[in-house]
Amino acid sequence: MKGLTHFMSGAAVASFFLPAVKMAGAEQIGGASSFILCLGGLFGIMPDTMDFKMGQFFTKSEYEIDPDPMDPDPQEMAEGLGKAIDQAYDTNQTVQAQMYPMRLGADLWRQYVINFDGKTNEVVIVINEIVTTSQVPILGSEPPPKKRVGRYKIKGDFNITHGRPSVVDIMSGPMYGFFKNEDGKMEIEFLPWHRTWSHSYVLGLFMSVPVWLIASLIAGWQIGWLYGLIAFLGFSVHLTEDLTGHMGGSLLWPFVKPRCNGLSLFRASNPHANFSIDYSAVVIILFNLNRFAPTPMFTLSPFKYFLYCLILPLAGYFAIVKIFGEKGKKKKAGVIAMEKALAREELEYEAEEHMAGDM
Amino acid sequence: MESWIEVLLYGLAGTLLGGFLFVVPSIHFLNFSGVIIALWGHYHGLFPIEEPLTLFAFFMGMVVSFGIMNTIPSMFLGAPDESAVFVVLPGAKYMLQGKGYEAAMLTGIGGLLGIFFLALFTPFFFFALPKLHIILGPHMHWILGLIIVYMLMSEWPKGTGKGETWWIKLKGAWANLFAGIATFGLSAFMGFLIFNRTMVPVSMGFQGLLPVFVGLFAVSSLISAILSKQKIPHQHISNDIDLDYKTMWKGWMPGCIGGTLAAYLPGVTGGIGGLIAGHACAQRDDRIFVMSQGVSKVVYYTGQFLLFFIPVTMFLKGSGLKRGGMAINLSPFYKPTLLQEYFFIFGIVVMAACISFLLLSFNSKWIIKLIAKVPYQKLSYASLAIVVIMVFFMPAMIDGAINGETMLSGLQVILIMCVSTCLGLIPIFYHCRRSNCMAVIIVPICISMAGYGPPLVNFLGLG
């Protein structure tokens, strides 16, 4: 799920605690108010923060593919990535490869696309146009057809279930982890450093201990536990929500290290899923704030409240999405450019075949 | 009840004046309202005192036209250069593709959709918002706290990740994050200074934030435009806009959410509201973003002022809802009590929006012609000169006199503007979010709402 979704969910979970809500609204009774409910949100976004702001920079890769921005060789790049896969195939060990972006100047980057073709078991690299930092392509800046596509056929077979081409242009490139599964097929792990140690309930528990201790020293032992508990629950709700996607997490790291798969209900970036959860979090927070207010503003039963404020509006939203929503998946501009380049390559190949046949 | 024709004429005057005035970079309706009110003090015939709604109609016309028209200076005259990477809005991207006119009209259509939203939500404002305010009122500080935490936590590293050691990788990637945190912290500190130690002449009152905001956002952008030597390509003026109902809906929804958040939450601007709503709806399309910005701005500026017209009788304590500088500036003059006043003012809103939309097209066209004739850098220098002169003479305009005292005050506000400009340049040079600068207002409000204001002021030695 998106960062905001985890953040809102963490705050919503924190709002279920009467003492926390009372402390947050303490100014009503003449005292200074607490920010304890923010702690749920803070720890809700913490696992991804640890990954993207810290963890990724400590991860080592066996292969680093850093193409020459002035004269990129797609064949060399495909071979570099392919060799990493072959090494994993031969050694039965996980091999990681880091791809880097091609920076041409302060505001210019060379875009390329990486595709793992499950049908032909090939690594395909397509070099696209030069793009600005705003990802606007400069028309006509793509390399000549002969220097545009690189292919490498791997030794084994890919096991690709939900792969999408990766477009690399500005700022950073992806890291892949390759390993052979029990069926002898090659698995591709996208961002192998993501959702591993940082997405563990055990780590969440461990991280909530200092929160409990510090809060207890400042606010007293009788209430410090609540800070620790809210931090833990905020952290945990993130991990649980992530299980709805494809990637899952290493939920019991360091005791069980491999990353389990998610339920694959929807993509983490699905706008409708994210919006529904954000909206639900707001509705829940309002319900709890009213419930714990000295004089509640409304006295609807929970059933009626959630029916009128959550279920019916979301049903309306999804009805609109169903009727007017996009049919099919929208492709990135870089992927479309890649498909055009590959189609052109195929046409040229066919044309050469015909020419050879005529001769 | 006032003569409706008179109210309408004042609304029209505000709209037309704003329609041309807000094309000039960094003229804000709040600052202009300060000048107008000061002028009213000298020339009492400006607004009939027995018909206070005329004053409100005039300013409502101005607020609506600002919401729609300020696209022009920000998109055509202050376009940040490409090096300002993630802060370059897709609107500027359109501009660099020669489609600035289309982007401006998209925001204009968004503005009209924002007005439609305000009409649609009028029953909500009347019946649900006062009740919601009772529930949320005591919790405003931590809601602002949540926004602050999210603003800081949701900025991600932008380094390429290249480096032989983990330290080099981490250092490169964290450069923008450190810059963002530094901008946020320094802006918050500056906010405390501004709110607790008046550094502008007392007579400027609410206009005290003028030099700060002008420095943080306008001057820094203009300096960046001058340094970057950006060349603006030929702008194509299209006869039609490529827009379907799906895109409109997708832009409308986040825009309405962002604008409503900003209109209701103190210290939260349309930009921050738009950022959060954009994340909530997870929309990535540029057209959607440009349109949602148009919706968000109008819902924020107009909605904020419109909340003031919800009859005070609808609120339990009869205090009404004052959000934004305009409502605070004008509240001493009148307290709306009748339902008819709300609808009267809403009529002005609709009229102003329609006229402003037409003016947006007209103004965009002549600005595009100007950009084609005058080199962009020269235009940026001219804009910078206008901004500096305007800020310098603001105390004189408010006092209605040019003398030694107002000149000295002018120097004071220029100094404040210089400091805030330095702050505003950090995000541009280090590629972090410019919304971090908004800590100047959101942090002091949050802290004082939580009740920690006085101890912190004492701790900082500002008491």
Side-chain angles (χ1 to χ4, degrees), chain A residues 327-341:
Chain A
K327 307 285 184 288
K329 285 170 190 163
K330 206 175 172 187
K331 286 177 184 168
K332 282 185 178 178
V335 174
I336 296 169
M338 175 201 78
E339 285 175 350
K340 281 181 185 168

Side-chain angles (χ1 to χ4, degrees), chain A residues 294-314:
Chain A
T295 333
M297 193 58 228
F298 57 83
T299 49
L300 281 176
S301 68
F303 174 75
K304 278 186 180 169
Y305 173 82
F306 285 109
L307 178 70
Y308 297 146
C309 299
L310 185 68
I311 297 169
L312 290 179
L314 280 185

Side-chain angles (χ1 to χ4, degrees), chain B residues 209-230:
Chain B
L209 284 171
L210 164 83
V212 179
F213 281 130
V214 166
L216 284 175
F217 300 108
V219 180
S220 54
S221 293
L222 289 168
I223 290 176
S224 152
I226 289 165
L227 292 178
S228 71
K229 297 177 181 168
Q230 183 77 55

Side-chain angles (χ1 to χ4, degrees), chain B residues 42 389 392-408:
Chain B
H42 295 285
I389 291 168
F392 180 74
F393 284 105
M394 186 55 75
M397 283 192 273
I398 287 169
D399 275 3
I402 297 180
N403 53 39
E405 201 181 333
T406 53
M407 291 293 104
L408 192 68

Side-chain angles (χ1 to χ4, degrees), chain A residues 61-91:
Chain A
S61 52
E62 285 81 0
Y63 286 80
E64 297 205 340
I65 296 161
D66 189 6
D68 177 5
M70 304 312 289
D71 185 23
D73 183 346
Q75 190 55 37
E76 196 182 313
M77 290 162 72
E79 281 172 12
L81 206 52
K83 278 176 187 163
I85 301 169
D86 285 348
Q87 186 181 325
Y89 183 82
D90 291 338
T91 60

